[in-house]
Each structure stands twice: as structure tokens, then as C-alpha cells.
């Protein structure tokens, strides 16, 4: 028998086994390489996730401060309730019982929590940013798989104050509008982490071994906004918004004309920054009445976007006669006119086949250019625009910054709109000359007029003064930026003088402030489609005219209370904002001789004096008097000592105890100055004149707009009734 055959078969078996083993080892090697090199990082991450519980610790967003470091937005520590559904399910705990306990503490629906806890996941969020007392209550429940995660809550101490500037944050603490969104990277910081070991049941290990990585808090943003000036702007703008029944919103801007810093920027209506997703009740009710779910959601989204819209930055509009400032500067700078150049206004101007009217239908007749500015005469400015010409007009339009965005610190800034070359003809030039046709944003107009006020330098407007860390170190500072010199110092001075005359003697008298030289211009534009009877009323001014420091623009979109001329309803608002701001900034009043003669006087203290001495003190101050009682010593007086009243007012002197007489304040609104003086005198009340009538040359051209105290109020004889007057016969 041949022995070689079995040996060969044996060797073949060994070889086959070896080859099979080698192939197996190779496959295992390949698999090992695949697991280590290809899937290694993923498997490592999954192992870490399986063996550890990783919790984020929210960083505190940087604060937002005003220019004087008053806090406008800040973050505080809060907690979020989370749960690990897998852990709860593996622990065999009663999910329903856990949900009932949590619902009672968190004031949530039990079924909502049950749904979350039945999910196949390691993490769900039950409720965000709960208060401290709720945190304590959750801890005391000591529920398996339920955790408290440190979080941060954004808080705005003044509610709706500067809402369109500051913006707000979403559920994940990310900026969703305003400075919060624009400076998200600087404000947000970096979250910290807590890493803890857990077992196969996904519960914490019996021994504690945690790794803490501290969060990095965000950088603080310091604004150019002055909280006090912002308050002035919001207060007076809101009053006008309601008084004039403004339908499409209103805005106001206050700026430093020399630096471009924005001191205040307000838009009405506004919203509560601590509750930014809640619409006004009337708007919300209209939306909830929509039956279709998709349409209702879309309407809600559109309403929120409209509410959050910053009108001063995002909306463009036809500036109306405010733009005449720019048209005038073009012609003055080119040497085409002087303030003494003459123009004739018949009440309209024919351009091609169109008769373009003046607001003064009877015409202004022959007038200088300075008078045309004061009178806000459309035909005169059409002629000025024609002198400048189409090409130069557009060059200056661009030079003043109307074709570009300003590079402002807020999202969504719009640029100006001008005619396309193919549709830019003589009629378009004519209407553009007095601010109809092309569109600008309030911010652009503010920057352009700031250049007129400051000697011709177009400054870049800005809202962020500096970035500082929590130790007070300045990380980044914003310096004033000159974009370009658009007009000369001479042109600037000429226009400032003419605009001052407009407020002192022309269409801008409703912005007059006793003791302060105000330069300004009215603006009234009819919205498209023409004939819709919808208007935008505006007024822009700066002061002091001989050394401008601050400028203010107010825009009222679709006033519906009867008046719509900018000079009638926007100018008084600008006057009030500027007066409060100038006094706050301690700008020294500069009284004219006429103003000095009509200055209010401070009522002297005559209590305790004899009749004769009291009368002497009052007459020295050019005040009248009325004595009540038969005593020889003054026991009480009205108005009180230190009150400010007009010269010639009456002080009631009481010589006996409890002899005060009370009168009912009459309604003196919608009356002339003379009529108001007569009625209040009959009621033995004193008048304090505010607004246009304080110019001293108002006569019967003004009517009383509002009064304080209100009609029907019972007051003592001699009480001062402050009455606000304004011109109505202005554009």
C-alpha cells in the first residue's frame, strides 16, 4: 500500500487549514484596521457618550450698556429642567407618577411631560429657565432621571425701552434682533460643561467623578445711546403717535452732529423685550380669528416681523421738503445761487406738461432764496434743481450718502432709492428737488443733515461706542469716521443761518425753543399712490444753530387725526425733544433781547411779610397781585415761591388762614393766545405759554394744542396753567 497518498492528503489539509486561518486572521486584521482607523473616532465618541453624561453650563451673555454704563440688558443665572427618558424607562419607575409630580411643580400639562418621558432618547428638555423657588421644589422631588441644568436668562430691566435698538434673544439664548443679533459673536461667550460617569443602566455611578469646564462669559457692548435722551425721544414720540393717531408707525433719531454718534433712536409702536413674541391684543385677536392654520401662522409671523421692524433704519420714504436742505446746498456749493438770489412764485411751476403746485396756492411772489427756504416754496426749489442739472443733482445725491447704506450697527439697513437713468427726466428732477420721488431712510437723512450742520463733513453714524470685558478693559473702541467732505464750511454756515430763520420766522416755528437757536426744516410727502390722502409728516432740526451739537428727526407715517403737515405735528415733537436734551446737556441758553424782555420770572417768597413789603417785592419782579383777607401779614401765596411764571402774572396773597379759593380749570384748547389769556384771567388763573406762541410774534396765528392741568380740575386761584401752542398754517 502506497503511504505517500495519506501524507499528501494530510499536508493538503494542513495547508488548507493554514490558508483558512491566515485568511481569517487577515479578515480580522482588516476588520480591526477598519474599526481602529476608519470607525475609531466614531466608536470612541459613542463609548464616551455611553459611559458619561455631558451637561452644558450656559455662559452669561455680555451686558448691553448705555454710554454712561447704565445696564439696558443683562443675563442672570437660571436653571432648565431636563430628563433622560432611557434612564427612567430602564429604572422601571412609574412615568405617569413622575410626570404628575413635575407637572404640579412646573405648572405644565401632565400629558405633555408623559410624551417627553416616553421618547427613546437620552435627553429631553422639560422646561427652560425656571425661577429659584421652582428649582428648590424640583430638587426636593428627587426624581430618577430628572436633572437641573444651569442656564442663563436674559433680562431687560426697562421692558420696552429701546426695544428696536437692543433686540432680544431666542430660546437658545441666541440674538434674534438689534444689537443682540448684530453682536452675537461678541455677546454670547462660550458655554461650560460638566462631565459625569454613568453605568450600563445609564444612571450616575455611585462614586462622584465629575469634570468641570467653566463657561466664558460674553463681552459687554457699550452703546452711544444716552438713556436719558432716549427717554426724552420715546416719551414725546409716543405722545405724538397717539395724539395724531399715526397708522403706519413713527420714529425719532437724536444724534451728535460732530461725531455721528446716535444718542437716541425710537420707533413706535414698540414691544416688551422680556416678552417679544406676544403681539398687541387687538392684533392677536384678529390673527386668532383666521380659520386656516397655515394662513394664521403666516399672519402671526408677518405681524411679529412688522412689530420688530426698526423704522428708522429699515424703511425708506420720500422725505418731502426736508430734502430742500440738500438741494439748496447743491446750488450754493456750485456757486449757482446765493441766499439773496431772487425767485418768483405764482403758486405753481410748469415743467413739461405738468403744473406742479406750491403748498401756498396763492404763491409767494418775488422772494430771495433765503425766503424760499423759510417759506418752503416748491416752485423756487424746482428752479434751483434745474440750475443744478440732472447729472450734478445725482452726483450730490450719491455724495450725501443716499445711494449706499451707512454701515450702521443694526441689521437690515436699507439704502436710498433714486430714478433709473432711463426714467430720470426733467419732471423727475423737478419733483426730486423738493423731496418727492427718490426715497431715503431716516438714518441717511440724519447723517446728511448732520453734514450740513457740522461744516460739511459726512460722518458715519454709529451706535456702539466700545466693547469692554468684565474687568472694565476696553477690547475695542469706535472712533468717529469722516466719510467725505460734501460741502464747504461757507455753504454749511449759509444754510444753517437760513434754517435758523425758518424756525424763528417761517414754517418751522413750532420747533422754537426760547433761549436756544434752533435750525430746522419741515417735510410733508404724499404716499404712493398719489391721491390716497395718506401722508408722511416729518421735521428735522439741529441746535444751537451757530454751534450745532445735536440734531433730531421725527417721522410720523400716516397721521389720521386731521393734521398731516410736518410743520404742524412733527415740529413740536422735535422742539420738545431738543429742549429736554439741550437742558440735560447743560447747553447754555442764548436769549435774544426780545426773549429777555419776555423771560419768565421766579415768584419771590413773600410769606411772613407785611402787605406793603410783599407788594413791593412783587412789583419789583413786574408781577401783579391780589390780596385775599383783611390781615396785615401774608400767611400764604399762590403760585408758591420759586414757581416760574410770565411777567405780569397775578400772585394771590392770603392774609388769613383757610381763605384759599378754588376754581375749575376751563378748557382752553383750540383757542388763540389772546383768547386763552382772557379766559384764564377771568378765572383768576395764570398762563404759562409753551410751544410756538413763545416766539413772541405768534399773535392769533397759533392755537392752543394741549393744557395742564386738564379741564375740569379743581385748583387754587393763581395756579399756573401751562398751555402748549402751535402753528397750523405751515407745511
Amino acid at each position: 500500500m502506497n503511504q505517500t497518498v495519506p501524507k499528501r492528503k494530510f499536508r493538503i489539509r494542513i495547508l488548507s487549514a493554514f490558508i483558512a486561518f491566515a485568511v481569517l486572521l487577515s479578515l480580522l486584521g482588516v476588520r480591526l484596521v477598519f474599526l481602529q482607523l476608519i470607525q475609531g473616532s466614531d466608536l470612541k465618541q459613542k463609548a464616551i457618550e455611553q459611559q458619561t453624561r455631558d451637561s452644558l453650563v450656559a455662559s452669561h451673555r455680555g451686558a448691553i450698556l448705555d454710554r454712561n454704563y447704565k445696564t439696558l440688558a443683562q443675563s442672570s443665572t437660571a436653571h432648565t429642567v431636563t430628563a433622560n427618558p432611557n434612564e427612567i424607562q430602564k429604572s422601571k419607575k412609574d412615568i405617569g407618577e413622575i410626570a404628575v409630580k413635575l407637572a404640579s411643580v412646573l405648572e405644565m400639562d401632565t400629558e405633555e411631560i408623559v410624551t417627553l418621558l416616553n421618547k427613546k432618547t437620552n435627553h429631553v428638555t422639560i422646561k427652560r429657565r425656571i425661577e429659584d423657588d421652582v428649582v428648590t421644589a424640583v430638587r426636593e422631588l428627587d426624581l430618577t432621571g430628572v436633572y437641573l441644568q444651569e442656564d442663563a436668562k436674559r433680562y431687560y430691566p426697562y421692558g420696552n425701552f429701546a426695544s428696536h435698538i437692543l433686540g432680544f434673544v431666542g430660546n437658545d439664548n441666541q440674538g434674534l434682533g438689534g444689537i443682540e443679533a448684530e453682536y452675537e459673536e461678541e455677546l454670547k461667550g462660550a458655554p461650560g460643561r460638566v462631565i459625569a460617569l454613568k453605568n450600563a443602566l445609564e444612571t450616575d455611578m455611585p462614586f462622584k467623578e465629575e469634570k468641570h469646564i467653566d463657561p466664558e462669559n460674553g463681552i459687554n457692548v457699550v452703546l452711544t445711546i444716552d438713556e436719558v435722551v432716549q427717554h426724552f425721544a420715546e416719551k414725546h414720540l409716543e405722545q405724538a403717535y397717539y395724539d395724531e393717531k399715526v397708522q403706519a408707525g413713527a420714529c425719532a433719531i437724536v444724534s451728535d452732529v460732530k461725531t455721528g454718534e446716535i444718542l437716541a433712536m425710537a420707533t413706535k409702536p414698540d414691544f416688551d423685550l422680556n416678552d417679544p413674541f406676544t403681539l398687541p391684543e387687538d392684533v392677536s385677536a384678529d390673527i386668532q380669528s383666521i380659520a386656516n392654520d397655515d394662513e394664521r401662522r403666516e399672519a402671526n409671523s408677518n405681524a411679529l416681523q412688522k412689530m420688530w421692524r426698526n423704522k428708522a433704519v429699515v424703511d425708506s420714504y420720500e422725505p418731502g421738503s426736508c430734502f430742500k436742505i440738500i438741494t439748496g446746498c447743491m446750488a450754493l456749493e456750485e456757486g449757482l445761487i446765493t441766499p439773496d438770489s431772487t425767485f418768483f412764485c405764482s403758486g405753481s411751476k410748469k415743467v413739461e406738461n405738468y403744473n406742479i403746485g406750491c403748498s401756498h396756492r396763492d404763491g409767494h411772489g418775488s422772494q430771495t432764496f433765503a425766503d424760499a427756504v423759510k417759506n418752503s416754496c416748491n416752485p423756487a426749489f424746482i428752479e434751483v434743481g434745474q440750475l443744478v442739472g440732472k447729472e450734478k443733482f445725482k452726483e450730490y445725491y450719491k455724495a450725501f450718502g443716499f445711494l449706499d447704506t451707512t454701515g450702521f450697527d443694526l441689521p437690515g439697513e436699507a439704502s436710498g432709492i433714486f430714478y433709473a437713468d432711463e426714467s430720470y427726466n426733467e419732471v423727475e428732477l423737478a419733483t426730486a428737488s423738493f423731496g418727492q420721488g427718490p426715497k431715503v431712510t431716516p438714518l441717511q437723512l440724519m447723517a446728511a443733515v448732520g453734514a450740513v450742520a457740522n461744516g460739511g463733513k459726512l460722518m458715519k453714524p454709529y451706535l456702539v461706542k466700545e466693547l469692554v470685558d468684565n474687568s472694565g478693559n476696553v477690547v475695542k473702541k469706535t472712533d468717529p469716521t469722516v466719510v467725505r467732505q460734501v460741502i464747504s464750511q461757507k455753504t454749511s454756515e449759509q444754510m444753517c443761518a437760513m434754517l435758523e430763520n425758518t424756525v424763528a420766522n417761517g414754517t418751522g416755528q413750532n420747533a422754537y425753543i426760547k433761549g436756544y437757536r434752533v435750525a430746522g426744516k419741515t417735510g410733508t410727502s404724499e404716499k404712493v399712490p398719489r391721491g390716497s390722502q395718506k401722508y408722511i409728516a416729518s421735521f428735522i432740526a439741529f441746535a444751537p444753530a451757530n454751534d450745532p451739537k445735536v440734531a433730531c428727526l421725527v417721522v410720523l407715517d400716516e397721521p389720521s387725526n386731521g393734521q398731516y403737515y410736518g410743520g404742524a405735528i412733527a415740529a413740536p415733537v422735535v422742539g420738545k425733544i431738543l429742549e429736554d436734551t439741550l437742558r440735560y446737556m447743560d447747553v447754555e441758553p442764548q436769549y435774544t433781547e426780545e426773549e429777555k424782555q419776555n423771560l419768565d420770572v421766579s415768584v419771590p417768597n413773600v410769606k411772613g411779610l407785611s402787605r406793603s413789603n410783599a407788594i413791593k417785592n412783587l412789583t419789583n419782579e413786574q408781577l401783579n397781585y391780589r390780596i385775599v383777607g383783611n390781615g396785615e401779614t401774608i400767611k400764604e401765596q399762590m403760585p408758591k415761591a420759586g414757581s416760574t411764571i410770565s411777567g405780569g402774572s397775578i400772585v394771590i396773597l392770603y392774609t388769613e388762614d383757610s381763605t384759599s379759593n378754588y376754581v375749575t380749570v376751563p378748557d382752553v384748547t383750540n383757542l388763540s393766545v389772546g383768547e386763552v389769556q382772557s379766559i384764564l384771567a377771568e378765572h383768576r388763573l395764570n398762563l404759562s405759554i409753551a410751544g410756538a406762541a413763545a416766539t413772541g410774534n405768534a399773535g392769533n396765528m397759533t392755537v392752543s394744542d394741549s393744557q395742564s392741568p386738564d379741564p375740569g380740575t379743581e385748583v387754587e386761584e393763581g395756579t399756573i396753567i401751562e398751555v402748549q401752542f402751535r402753528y397750523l398754517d405751515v407745511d
Side-chain angles (χ1 to χ4, degrees):
M1 186 174 181
N2 191 349
Q3 297 293 320
T4 60
V5 174
K7 289 182 179 179
R8 181 183 296 173
K9 289 181 179 180
F10 181 71
R11 283 196 290 270
I12 290 172
R13 288 195 196 100
I14 293 174
L15 181 60
S16 298
F18 177 77
I19 292 172
F21 186 69
V23 170
L24 180 61
L25 285 176
S26 298
L27 291 174
L28 289 173
V30 170
R31 180 62 176 166
L32 183 61
V33 169
F34 179 76
L35 292 174
Q36 288 285 357
L37 300 181
I38 306 301
Q39 289 190 317
S41 59
D42 289 341
L43 292 172
K44 181 179 179 181
Q45 182 63 34
K46 288 180 179 179
I48 292 173
E49 291 176 357
Q50 189 180 51
Q51 299 164 19
T52 62
R53 180 168 60 83
D54 191 352
S55 301
L56 290 178
V57 179
S59 61
H60 280 205
R61 288 177 71 84
I64 302 177
L65 314 166
D66 90 327
R67 66 186 301 111
N68 298 312
Y69 296 93
K70 293 180 182 177
T71 301
L72 304 180
Q74 62 186 354
S75 290
S76 58
T77 300
H79 287 82
T80 291
V81 181
T82 66
N84 185 334
N86 287 343
E87 177 183 343
I88 295 172
Q89 293 162 25
K90 290 179 181 179
S91 69
K92 305 300 183 183
K93 298 290 185 179
D94 187 335
I95 289 178
E97 183 181 345
I98 293 174
V100 168
K101 291 181 178 179
L102 278 177
S104 64
V105 171
L106 300 178
E107 297 182 352
M108 291 178 63
D109 180 64
T110 302
E111 291 304 314
E112 180 184 355
I113 299 177
V114 168
T115 300
L116 290 172
L117 298 184
N118 277 317
K119 289 185 175 182
K120 302 300 181 183
T121 181
N122 290 332
H123 179 86
V124 292
T125 298
I126 306 295
K127 190 169 185 178
R128 294 179 180 274
R129 303 184 184 99
I130 59 175
E131 301 298 329
D132 290 345
D133 57 337
V134 182
V135 171
T136 301
V138 172
R139 283 203 178 103
E140 290 175 350
L141 291 176
D142 193 24
L143 299 172
T144 299
V146 176
Y147 301 96
L148 285 166
Q149 181 175 311
E150 189 173 314
D151 202 347
K153 182 179 181 180
R154 199 62 162 169
Y155 175 63
Y156 302 92
Y158 301 113
N160 63 346
F161 183 80
S163 56
H164 293 90
I165 293 174
L166 301 179
F168 53 94
V169 298
N171 287 333
D172 294 325
N173 229 23
Q174 80 281 17
L176 294 181
I179 290 294
E180 295 279 24
E182 193 72 4
Y183 283 80
E184 170 70 9
E185 290 303 312
E186 292 82 358
L187 286 165
K188 70 179 182 180
R193 299 170 71 185
V194 177
I195 303 171
L197 297 178
K198 62 181 181 179
N199 58 29
L201 294 177
E202 298 188 355
T203 60
D204 287 349
M205 298 288 278
F207 52 89
K208 291 290 183 182
E209 186 172 333
E210 294 184 338
K211 181 178 181 181
H212 291 261
I213 301 174
D214 293 331
E216 296 179 13
N217 293 334
I219 299 295
N220 303 314
V221 176
V222 181
L223 303 179
T224 59
I225 293 297
D226 188 307
E227 180 263 337
V228 176
V229 179
Q230 179 74 19
H231 169 75
F232 295 150
E234 294 203 8
K235 177 181 71 172
H236 295 305
L237 184 68
E238 184 171 51
Q239 188 68 51
Y241 175 78
Y242 288 111
D243 287 348
E244 306 305 332
K245 298 180 181 178
V246 177
Q247 300 299 302
C251 68
I253 307 175
V254 182
S255 73
D256 183 323
V257 299
K258 295 181 179 178
T259 64
E261 293 174 287
I262 301 300
L263 304 178
M265 178 180 282
T267 294
K268 298 295 176 180
D270 50 28
F271 57 95
D272 186 351
L273 291 168
N274 295 307
D275 191 16
F277 292 94
T278 298
L279 292 164
E281 289 184 6
D282 56 338
V283 177
S284 181
D286 290 341
I287 292 172
Q288 294 307 314
S289 66
I290 299 174
N292 184 280
D293 290 345
D294 292 337
E295 291 179 3
R296 186 169 60 253
R297 280 192 292 268
E298 183 179 2
N300 189 76
S301 176
N302 291 339
L304 287 172
Q305 293 300 324
K306 181 180 179 181
M307 183 175 72
W308 299 333
R309 190 179 182 90
N310 188 339
K311 195 172 186 67
V313 178
V314 177
D315 286 3
S316 57
Y317 74 111
E318 294 180 358
S321 293
C322 288
F323 195 81
K324 290 172 180 173
I325 299 173
I326 308 303
T327 302
C329 285
M330 297 179 190
L332 289 168
E333 186 67 16
E334 290 296 312
L336 300 169
I337 61 170
T338 70
D340 296 323
S341 296
T342 57
F343 298 86
F344 184 83
C345 171
S346 64
S348 65
K349 177 76 174 176
K350 188 170 184 178
V351 182
E352 293 185 350
N353 295 322
Y354 295 90
N355 264 326
I356 302 175
C358 184
S359 59
H360 191 65
R361 297 304 179 188
D362 295 331
H364 295 102
S366 181
Q367 60 188 335
T368 65
F369 177 66
D371 286 334
V373 174
K374 179 187 73 173
N375 298 328
S376 195
C377 177
N378 286 352
F381 274 89
I382 292 173
E383 290 187 39
V384 172
Q386 290 171 336
L387 289 172
V388 175
K390 289 169 52 181
E391 289 72 22
K392 276 291 180 185
F393 190 96
K394 189 169 183 179
E395 283 180 22
Y396 273 101
Y397 191 86
K398 179 175 176 60
F400 271 101
F402 294 118
L403 290 182
D404 305 304
T405 59
T406 66
F408 198 53
D409 308 276
L410 291 178
E413 183 188 0
S415 60
I417 301 171
F418 198 74
Y419 299 110
D421 290 341
E422 60 271 16
S423 58
Y424 178 36
N425 300 305
E426 289 303 314
V427 173
E428 287 72 30
L429 173 63
T431 58
S433 298
F434 56 83
Q436 183 175 294
K439 292 185 176 182
V440 305
T441 67
L443 183 65
Q444 286 175 320
L445 184 63
M446 193 66 166
V449 174
V452 176
N454 70 20
K457 301 180 185 69
L458 181 66
M459 305 299 297
K460 178 182 177 182
Y462 63 101
L463 191 59
V464 173
K465 182 180 178 182
E466 58 192 13
L467 305 177
V468 298
D469 62 22
N470 288 327
S471 299
N473 301 309
V474 177
V475 177
K476 183 181 179 182
K477 184 178 181 181
T478 307
D479 294 317
T481 302
V482 179
V483 179
R484 66 182 71 90
Q485 183 88 25
V486 287
I487 57 173
S488 65
Q489 180 73 34
K490 179 182 178 182
T491 297
S492 168
E493 291 173 356
Q494 288 177 324
M495 185 52 71
C496 286
M498 288 185 281
L499 293 175
E500 181 182 2
N501 187 44
T502 300
V503 173
N505 302 297
T507 57
Q509 289 185 81
N510 281 325
Y512 169 83
I513 308 170
K514 187 183 292 186
Y516 291 103
R517 298 172 60 178
V518 180
K521 186 72 192 73
T522 60
T524 307
S525 58
E526 186 176 13
K527 298 179 74 171
V528 177
R530 311 296 183 199
S532 64
Q533 300 299 305
K534 293 181 178 180
Y535 298 88
I536 297 177
S538 61
F539 192 83
I540 191 164
F542 50 87
N546 58 325
D547 182 22
K549 290 180 171 56
V550 292
C552 178
L553 168 65
V554 165
V555 179
L556 307 176
D557 194 345
E558 295 186 24
S560 64
N561 199 29
Q563 285 289 328
Y564 59 83
Y565 284 122
I569 61 176
V573 187
V574 171
K576 292 172 186 175
I577 294 172
L578 281 178
E579 181 172 17
D580 286 346
T581 300
L582 292 167
R583 295 191 188 284
Y584 164 69
M585 295 173 66
D586 291 327
V587 176
E588 193 71 26
Q590 304 172 55
Y591 295 105
T592 64
E593 289 303 316
E594 183 180 9
E595 286 173 335
K596 288 178 182 178
Q597 294 174 9
N598 293 289
L599 283 178
D600 293 339
V601 296
S602 178
V603 178
N605 185 4
V606 295
K607 284 178 63 176
L609 299 183
S610 65
R611 282 184 176 222
S612 59
N613 284 335
I615 292 170
K616 181 180 179 181
N617 286 359
L618 293 176
T619 54
N620 285 342
E621 298 294 336
Q622 297 184 333
L623 293 171
N624 296 316
Y625 60 90
R626 177 171 173 262
I627 298 177
V628 178
N630 298 315
E632 288 298 322
T633 302
I634 307 303
K635 295 190 174 182
E636 192 56 81
Q637 66 180 79
M638 191 66 188
K640 304 294 185 183
S643 300
T644 301
I645 57 177
S646 301
S649 296
I650 298 176
V651 178
I652 311 296
L653 304 177
Y654 299 98
T655 61
E656 298 176 1
D657 292 330
S658 303
T659 55
S660 297
N661 293 322
Y662 286 83
V663 295
T664 302
V665 177
D667 185 351
V668 293
T669 56
N670 299 314
L671 300 175
S672 68
V673 177
E675 290 170 328
V676 172
Q677 289 173 326
S678 176
I679 291 173
L680 291 182
E682 289 176 6
H683 286 74
R684 298 181 298 282
L685 295 169
N686 286 306
L687 169 64
S688 175
I689 296 176
T695 59
N697 61 0
N700 289 324
M701 294 174 62
T702 54
V703 298
S704 50
D705 185 39
S706 61
Q707 67 179 84
S708 179
D710 292 330
T713 306
E714 293 291 320
V715 298
E716 288 186 60
E717 289 183 342
T719 295
I720 302 166
I721 310 301
E722 181 178 285
V723 182
Q724 184 82 30
F725 291 85
R726 65 174 171 178
Y727 285 89
L728 297 181
D729 188 21
V730 290
D731 72 359

